[in-house]
Structures are given as structure tokens and as C-alpha cells.
Amino acid sequence: MKIKYDYSLVFSFFDWARLRKDTTLEARCIVIHIAVASKNPKIAHELTYEFWRKPNLDINVSFSNFFEQLVYTFKDWGSDPLVFDIFFQALVDVGYFDEARNLFDKMLSYGVVISIDSCNCLLSRLSNNMSDDARIETVLKIFSEFPEMGVCWNTASYSIIIHALCRFDKLKEAQTLLLQMESKGCFADVISYSTVIDGYRRAGELERAFEVVEEMITKGLKPNPFTYNSIVVLLCKNGKVNEGERILREMMNQGVVPDNVVYTSLIDGFCKVNDLQAAHRICGEMQKQQLVPDTVTYTALICGLCRTGKMDEADNLFRGMRNKGMILDEITYTSLIDGYCKAGEMKKAFALHNKMVQMGLTPNIVTYTALVDGLCKRGEVETANELLQEMCGKGLQLNTCTFNSLINGLCKAGNIKQAVKMMEDMELAKLYPDVITYTTIIDAYCKAGEMVRAHDLLREMLDKGLQQTIVTFNVLMNGFCMLGMLEDGKRLLNWMLEKGIKPNATTYNSLMKQYSIQNNMKATTEIYRGMNTQGVMADSIHESAPPFLP
């Protein structure tokens, strides 16, 4: 009691004493009070946290004892309510959320409301530890109930909840909360808006993301690097790479310096649209900005080179990465393996696979799927099946892409019956056939002249509610036309138009070609005019009107 105002002496004495014997809980609480009174909340938190980190604690008994001792020593040793905030924060940090809530209620009965910063700490930790919908319901319940008990949420509080909602793809709720903030006396900041924008970015909802951006600018808020990054990444993901570069220029004009993520997203975007010249240009600009391309950047370039069949350049870039001492991961190896498989160079693909294993890297399902696809395209379906067994033996879960590669191989080998069985096996494995699966088998049936089965499979696909692509309909249209079933082809075209499925040039070309072969110029003209009416531009193969048309 005599030295309680000499904090340094108190703490030295406490350290000296606890080296010799276990101190009592009362002594610990006294030192916690003195630390808070001496403006050393960090030490107070450490002492509290240290107690709750002890193994084999009886939580209920310990909570009751700690709370009682803290209250018992409160008046004589500090009288600063901040100690209860520190106790609350320590419980949250350790993960004792129920005990923290219990403390909140106990303090309320004493007329003390836990501070907004401590309550935000609880919201944040609960949000970051969420693993299911039940946990977010707990967070939302606290957010709803605490204001009734005297807590006034601030902008940081709303940002935490918005972030939590976005993590669980509850984007509409997050945007609604963003709009409600002002009515509660809080003004949404650039972080709150950027969180929602990034949520829409992850969900691939470009239009909604831009709506939030416009709303943000209307409020007078200036996008920050995180906001710009999300927009550029989303544009590139949607194939709008040129617009992404425009945003890059805009952010640079605003004095915002792009980071590796933005540049790499643009490089990846240009590679995906096969504009390697632009990709290399952006990479050069990135280096001028003193930003060093990393493994992800170079892997994007390797993918682009492989996609355009420039395997020598891809291999040189891969070797260059290795010579620079860069860490080559499974994704980099798999990108090059996939390139060799698509180029039919299976020997090089397997050699790279073996090298990958020697480096201690584990081939994943994508690696094996690339190898399976390459083997199937060469007609080596049996070898692909053996590889499939090896995958299963390693505990890898087959995915839809793996099955689609095998089904494609079986169809090319003319084994449609086995391909259909494999599609059934997919469903048994709870991997449901997608539009690629159906289109592959429909194409095989069409080439085999089994149009009834092809048509039935299309109906099955539509009944299952699978998202249609024009490729599927074009495959069926080509089947009808190749077999001379032009009336069926015309019926399919009319059905597509009725259902709002817009044909493309390939759809019309199949019909025009066959009518031309039959010298039925009237029907050819009719199809061509119908194509123009629908606003479909002729492609490079059939870019001109039939010769007898003006």
C-alpha cells in the first residue's frame, strides 16, 4: 500500500516475488489496477492475458474468481473502470467469447458500459473466426442488441460487420448496411465502400461494383489503392482488360501508385485474350515503376505463351525464373505441363512432371487433369485411365474437368457408350455433368448420326437447368445439317429465337452452307436475311452475302 504510487517499484517487486513463488490472484489484480492507474494499460493487458492463457483452467471458476478479485481490489488500488475493458479485451483475445459477453452483462448491472473499442474488438474477433452461418448470426445478434444497452456503434463497427457480410457473400445486406450508416449518425468511409466493392469483385458482379463506386464518388470519397485494385482485378476477370488499363491510367493520374497485384492482373488479363504484346508492355512498365515481377506475374506470362502455342518462349521464361532463384510452385509447373499437353508434347510434359516431384512439389488435381487431357487427345485413353487410378491412389478427388477430359477421349475414340457410362459415374461421385460434358457427348452422337439421342441429351441438359452456351446448339445444328436434316435445323433455329437464345454466325453458316450445296438459293437468302435481321455479323469465313444478292 505504501509503494502503490511508485509503479516501477511495484512492478519490480511483483516480478521479484513471482520468480520465487506463485503469486495470489489478489496480488495480480492489485498490480493490474496499479498499472492502469499509472497509465500502463499494455502491462495490465499482458498480466490479464497471461492469466487466461494458463493451461487446464476451469473457465467458470476462474472467471468468477478473477471478476470477484478485480471488483474487491477496485476501490483501494485504482478505481479506474478501464480495468474491466482490459479484462474484456483479454477474454476476447484468448477466444473466450461467451465469458466476454458474460462480463459485459455483469458490468451493465454495475452501471458500466464496456467501451466501443472493446466491443469492436469482440465483433472483429468473432468475424475473423467465423466458419459458418451460425457464427455470423451471433455477430449480427450482438450488433443488434448492444445499442439497446448503451453501446453507440461507430464507423469502424459498421466496417467490421460489412466485411463479415461480404465474406459470407451477403452482399445485398452489406450494401444496405452501408446506406443505413448515415441514418445512425455514422458516415461511411472509403474502407467501408471498398469492402463492398471488393465483395462484388469476388462475386464477379461488375455492374454492382461500379454502382457502389459511383455512389462512393457522389459522397465525395476518393477511391484508395485497394478500391482501384478491386476494380482493375474485376475488369480483367470479366475480360475487359482495356478498360482495366484505362482505370490504371486514371489511378496513376490521381497520384495512386499501382502495386504488383494490379499490374499482374492486367498482365494475366491480356494473356487470357491472347494479347501478349500488351502483356509484355505492362510487364516492362511494371519494372520501370521499380516493382519486381513475382512468381504469379511470370506464371501468368507462361500461361499466355502456352495458350498461343509459343512453347519455346514459355520454356525459356520458365528457365529464366529458375536461374534467377525464384521459387517455382505447383501452379508454375502445372501451367507449363498443360501447355506441353495441349501441344501434344506428352514426353516433355511427363518429364516436367517428374522434375516437379523431384523438387518436392506435389502434383495436384489440375496437374493430373492436364496430363489426362493430353493423353486423351492423343487417343491414349487406357493410359489416361491408368493415370486416373494413380490419382485416386494418392487420395486426390477427381473433378468435373478430369471426367470431361476422359469423356472427350472416349468420344474421339468412338466409344460413346463408355462415355455415357462415365457421365453416370460422375453423378455417383457427386460430381454433376456440366454443359461441357453434355456438349461433348451431343457432338459425338451428332457425328455418329444418332440425332434422336443427341436431341434427347439436349433436352435432359435443359431440364436440369444448366446454363446453355451457343456452342451446344451449334453442335446440334451442325449435326442436323451434315445429315441433310435441314428442316430440323430450321426448327432448332426458330426454337432458339423463341427462347431468346441468340444464334451467332456459326449457327447460320451451317444452314446456309448446306442450302447452298443443294442449290436452294431461296432458302439460303432467307437464312442470310434472317441473320441480318437479328443483327448477327457475318464472320471471316462467310463475310459476304450470297453472290446473287445485291
Side-chain angles (χ1 to χ4, degrees), residues 53 95 101 107 169 186 232 267 279 298 373 425 437 442 450 466 474 492 495 514 520:
R53 287 287 292 171
R101 179 63 197 264
M107 293 315 301
D169 298 324
C186 293
V232 172
I267 290 165
Y298 282 119
D373 189 52
D425 290 342
T437 323
I442 288 170
E450 298 187 48
L466 288 173
N474 285 348
L492 176 62
W495 181 85
Q514 289 304 315
N520 188 341

Side-chain angles (χ1 to χ4, degrees), residues 363-389:
N364 57 29
I365 187 66
V366 182
T367 320
Y368 279 110
T369 299
L371 291 166
V372 166
D373 189 52
L375 289 167
C376 288
K377 281 175 180 171
R378 283 165 59 102
E380 299 179 41
V381 182
E382 288 302 317
T383 309
N385 254 318
E386 288 172 16
L387 194 59
L388 191 70
Q389 298 306 315

Side-chain angles (χ1 to χ4, degrees), residues 85-371:
D85 259 67
I86 289 168
F87 181 20
F88 182 89
Q89 288 176 15
L91 288 170
V92 169
D93 287 344
V94 178
Y96 293 149
F97 303 124
D98 291 338
E99 287 68 27
R101 179 63 197 264
N102 189 5
L103 176 61
F104 181 94
D105 294 337
K106 279 182 175 291
M107 293 315 301
L108 205 60
S109 67
Y110 282 91
V112 176
V113 178
I114 297 295
S115 74
I116 182 65
D117 289 340
S118 296
C119 290
N120 282 347
C121 180
L122 175 62
L123 288 180
S124 181
R125 283 300 299 272
L126 271 171
S127 299
N128 290 332
N129 283 276
M130 287 189 304
S131 57
D132 51 34
D133 284 342
R135 184 60 61 85
I136 194 170
E137 290 304 322
T138 303
V139 175
L140 293 174
K141 186 179 179 186
I142 288 172
F143 189 72
S144 171
E145 289 179 354
F146 274 27
E148 297 172 7
M149 303 173 194
V151 175
C152 294
W153 297 121
N154 58 16
T155 300
S157 319
Y158 279 93
S159 292
I160 292 166
I161 299 298
I162 287 168
H163 179 71
L165 289 167
C166 288
R167 272 186 62 199
F168 276 77
D169 298 324
K170 296 179 182 290
L171 300 172
K172 287 183 180 178
E173 292 90 333
Q175 192 173 354
T176 301
L177 194 61
L178 191 65
L179 298 172
Q180 288 175 350
M181 286 176 67
E182 286 189 22
S183 65
K184 300 293 183 181
C186 293
F187 291 95
D189 58 12
V190 67
I191 296 171
S192 307
Y193 275 99
S194 295
T195 302
V196 177
I197 291 164
D198 192 58
Y200 281 125
R201 189 268 304 171
R202 286 186 292 103
E205 297 190 35
L206 184 62
E207 287 184 16
R208 286 194 174 275
F210 273 110
E211 281 175 16
V212 181
V213 172
E214 288 174 13
E215 188 180 302
M216 173 183 170
I217 294 169
T218 303
K219 297 282 185 183
L221 294 169
K222 185 180 177 182
N224 64 10
F226 183 76
T227 321
Y228 279 116
N229 287 358
S230 296
I231 296 166
V232 172
V233 171
L234 181 55
L235 284 167
C236 292
K237 188 178 175 181
N238 281 267
K240 300 185 177 183
V241 198
N242 291 324
E243 288 185 42
E245 187 176 358
R246 182 180 60 77
I247 297 294
L248 172 74
R249 304 300 165 212
E250 182 183 316
M251 75 189 273
M252 293 175 80
N253 290 336
Q254 293 292 328
V256 180
V257 181
D259 61 9
N260 279 57
V261 176
V262 174
Y263 277 113
T264 299
S265 296
L266 279 167
I267 290 165
D268 183 54
F270 278 121
C271 285
K272 281 177 178 168
V273 296
N274 298 329
D275 191 347
L276 293 179
Q277 187 178 356
H280 283 294
R281 173 173 55 78
I282 295 292
C283 189
E285 182 182 319
M286 177 182 179
Q287 289 168 308
K288 284 180 184 176
Q289 293 283 351
Q290 306 301 312
L291 293 170
V292 181
D294 57 16
T295 302
V296 180
T297 316
Y298 282 119
T299 301
L301 285 168
I302 287 171
C303 283
L305 290 165
C306 290
R307 192 177 286 110
T308 53
K310 298 181 178 180
M311 294 309 302
D312 288 341
E313 290 181 46
D315 188 57
N316 287 337
L317 189 56
F318 180 83
R319 292 176 190 277
M321 290 173 70
R322 197 162 53 193
N323 293 339
K324 287 179 183 177
M326 296 181 75
I327 297 172
L328 303 174
D329 57 17
E330 291 89 346
I331 299 172
T332 315
Y333 271 95
T334 298
S335 299
L336 196 56
I337 287 169
D338 185 51
Y340 280 130
C341 289
K342 283 183 168 58
E345 299 186 56
M346 297 307 297
K347 191 174 180 180
K348 287 184 179 180
F350 275 102
L352 202 58
H353 164 268
N354 295 338
K355 180 69 177 175
M356 178 182 179
V357 174
Q358 287 170 16
M359 295 294 292
L361 297 171
T362 306
N364 57 29
I365 187 66
V366 182
T367 320
Y368 279 110
T369 299
L371 291 166

